[in-house]
Structures are given as structure tokens and as C-alpha cells.
Amino acid sequence: MPRMAAAVLARLYAADSGSLTAAELAAQLRVSPATVSAAVGRLEERALIRRDRDPGTRRDRYVIDESAWYRTTLAGARVNERLAAQARHGADALGVATPAGLRLLGMGDYLERVGLDMVRSAERWRPRLDQ
């Protein structure tokens, strides 16, 4: 994880409310709003944080909650599914009898199975998140 994204994530975890605005993050980290925006974008892509509207204002509030790692695990599993499909497509294009095609086929199988394991594990942990 990039350093600034990790710093934003750490600040959100350390905040009692589990949420901060972009201005609060910029002030606490002593960086520009643009730097915060880039870090927040990376964290949102991975589903580690979510964006809520600050009540009564036009400001966004960035939130981390108990299900953040659940969501990011599922997002990672979806990425694995897409990569597996692309690897299988590449294997078909190169021919599964070729060394490169065989490697891609193995990669696709691996990523598919790891993705399924991620989903199963996340689902086993899901009830504990609601406690």
C-alpha cells in the first residue's frame, strides 16, 4: 500500500469516530488536499473506506468501519476472478498445448481457486463483524 494511503488509513483507524473530512486529514497529515484526494481514491478503490456526506454540508466524510476488511477481501476476490478469466482467455489464444498457454491456464486456475477461498473465508468471518 502506498505510504500516504497507509497514513490516511491509520488516521481513520485512530479517530474515535472512525471518520474524518478531507480537510481534517490534510491538516493532521500536513499535506495538500490533492495528496489526500489521491490517497482516498486508492483506499476507495480497494473498498477499505467509504465516502459519506457530512450532514448539513457539501463536504465529504471518509469512514472506516468494522466491515472494511470484509469488503476489501471481496473486492480482491473480484479482481482475482477478472484476472483468472483473462489468463484463461490468453491460454486459449496461445493454445493450451504451448508452454505459455499452459502457464496462463495454471495462473487462471490458481487465481480462481484463491479468489473462491477468499470469499469463503470472508463469509465465515462475516457473522463476527456484526457482533
Side-chain angles (χ1 to χ4, degrees), residues 77-92:
R78 285 190 295 275
V79 168
N80 277 5
E81 287 174 23
R82 288 192 299 272
L83 290 172
Q86 289 299 316
R88 284 192 295 274
H89 178 62
D92 289 342

Side-chain angles (χ1 to χ4, degrees), residues 25-104:
L25 286 165
Q28 289 181 18
L29 295 170
R30 297 183 185 149
V31 296
S32 72
T35 301
V36 169
S37 180
V40 161
R42 287 184 179 267
L43 295 170
E44 284 180 311
E45 284 173 6
R46 298 187 64 196
L48 278 168
I49 64 173
R50 72 174 194 275
R51 184 186 307 233
D52 288 347
R53 183 65 66 180
D54 213 4
T57 72
R58 292 180 11 179
R59 290 183 304 183
D60 288 328
R61 180 165 287 281
Y62 301 102
V63 180
I64 190 159
D65 59 32
E66 292 76 22
S67 62
W69 291 103
Y70 172 80
R71 286 191 312 272
T72 199
T73 300
L74 294 182
R78 285 190 295 275
V79 168
N80 277 5
E81 287 174 23
R82 288 192 299 272
L83 290 172
Q86 289 299 316
R88 284 192 295 274
H89 178 62
D92 289 342
L94 294 173
V96 293
T98 66
L102 210 56
R103 276 193 303 276
L104 283 171

